Amino acid sequence: MLKAHTLSLSAEDTPAPVSLAELRPRSGEPVRLETRIPKGRYSVRLIGIHEQVAVLVSAPKSRKSLLTEGASLSVKLLCGNRLISFSTRLLKAQDEPFPHWILAYPRQLETQAFRQHTRVPVHLPLWVDRGEGDLHQPQSALCVDISLSGASVEAPSALASVGELLYLTAKVSVAGMDHVILAAARVRSVLQTESGALAVFRHGLAFEDLEEETRLVLSGYVYQQWLYESGELL
């Protein structure tokens, strides 16, 4: 059995007073709503922001909520490499042109920055090869934890030696959209964790020279998995 890595966030040393609009969270990002009275949690999506006026989110799928207009809410969502938290209230629940909630624009934010090395446990199938000069077919493997800087990958045989470069291909879903990650990674360690017919080799990998688009998708995926793992998203 694998042991889950400790998940951690670091508070920003000197957080600058910024507004939600200045942070520019992307439409479609997962948002976690929590209420105390009545007690409840809702997973929704960000629709957009009307600066200094309101925040629009999709209505929860559970439409039988007892929440009334004016009710207090706690909100958590991702903005870049930050987890943003704030308190608000429900201004209006609308059904047209589609079900959505209008929340009061937050006057104060709490921000926490993810550490580059924070790892989250995953179960992500991927393909591994050694680049253009590799005469072998790509090998299937399993990523068991991942961070913004590297990953742990398991396979039934050693994929490469320490110091060699591998190329990873994986399909991930971020905010409901599918993306393909293509990443180069340097092998930092190889450890055989199980032997016999069910041999398992665990590879510690460090990402190298990630393209900007790949880094953005990877960041969104890692943060999203952290939210799932910590219970902030259902």
Side-chain angles (χ1 to χ4, degrees), residues 55-93:
V55 177
L56 276 66
V57 299
S58 62
K61 293 181 179 179
S62 176
R63 303 301 306 283
K64 296 181 180 181
S65 168
L66 299 176
L67 209 62
T68 57
E69 294 174 2
S72 297
L73 291 158
S74 296
V75 179
K76 292 186 178 181
L77 76 156
L78 294 171
C79 295
N81 69 335
R82 297 168 174 169
L83 178 65
I84 307 300
S85 305
F86 60 86
S87 297
T88 183
R89 56 192 176 87
L90 176 61
L91 296 180
K92 196 76 175 177

Side-chain angles (χ1 to χ4, degrees), residues 135-165:
L135 300 178
H136 300 87
Q137 292 293 325
Q139 294 179 255
S140 62
L142 180 69
C143 179
V144 294
D145 69 51
I146 194 168
S147 72
L148 303 184
S149 57
S152 290
V153 171
E154 293 189 342
S157 60
L159 300 171
S161 301
V162 173
E164 291 187 312
L165 195 62

